[in-house]
Amino acid sequence: MALFTRNVGLLVLLVFVWSLTMCDAGILPNVGALPNVTHVNITNDLGGDLTLTIHCKSADDDLGAHVLPPLISYEFVFRPNMWWTTQYFCSVEWPGASHYIDIYIQKRDQDRCDICMWVIVPYGGCLFNYKTRLYDICYPWNPPS
């Protein structure tokens, strides 16, 4: 009986893994599977010759610091979780300024973009709006903690 139970458990696990693989490959509908991969692209649009240092993190991942000259971008890729709790925040610094911004909040952004394109400007971050074709979804810096 123990051998039968173990084999049934293994079979259930294999069918589950197979179904996730088929959903990711587009063979089966993506019902109940993990959300699509998300790309976040962040561009230094501070103006002038200001160099931006950006350091993004989630609860699980520290992506390290990146130095962006004017109009240069940094991109990272991840798969949001199935509980709708994925969140990334970034510290942004340039001479004379230091701020934080929530660059991805799954409940806010999941249905808005799979490729989330941001520009960092002196007053905050602006997300590209695919409906208007402008960077007009702007958020101010997070309040100091």
Side-chain angles (χ1 to χ4, degrees), residues 2 5 15 17 25 38 42 51 59 63-64 67 79-80 85 87 89 101 103 112-113 122 127-128 133 139-140:
T5 304
V15 168
V17 170
T38 299
I42 306 163
T51 296
L63 304 178
V67 177
R79 184 180 298 276
T85 59
Q87 181 171 346
F89 68 93
I101 190 163
I103 211 75
R112 187 177 282 164
C113 55
L127 180 63
F128 185 75
R133 313 289 297 164
Y139 297 95

Side-chain angles (χ1 to χ4, degrees), residues 62-136:
D62 183 338
L63 304 178
H66 301 272
V67 177
L68 304 179
L71 301 178
I72 298 299
S73 299
Y74 164 66
E75 182 172 316
F76 61 94
V77 179
F78 60 95
R79 184 180 298 276
N81 68 39
M82 66 177 83
W83 299 279
W84 287 76
T85 59
T86 302
Q87 181 171 346
Y88 280 86
F89 68 93
C90 301
S91 67
V92 293
E93 297 179 358
W94 63 91
S98 178
H99 303 286
Y100 285 89
I101 190 163
D102 294 317
I103 211 75
Y104 184 86
I105 300 173
Q106 189 171 359
K107 290 178 182 168
R108 178 189 74 190
D109 300 323
Q110 176 76 37
D111 295 328
R112 187 177 282 164
C113 55
D114 289 327
I115 301 173
C116 303
M117 298 185 300
W118 289 83
V119 290
I120 299 298
V121 293
Y123 56 83
C126 294
L127 180 63
F128 185 75
N129 184 339
Y130 284 92
K131 292 178 183 174
T132 65
R133 313 289 297 164
L134 299 169
Y135 287 92
D136 62 1

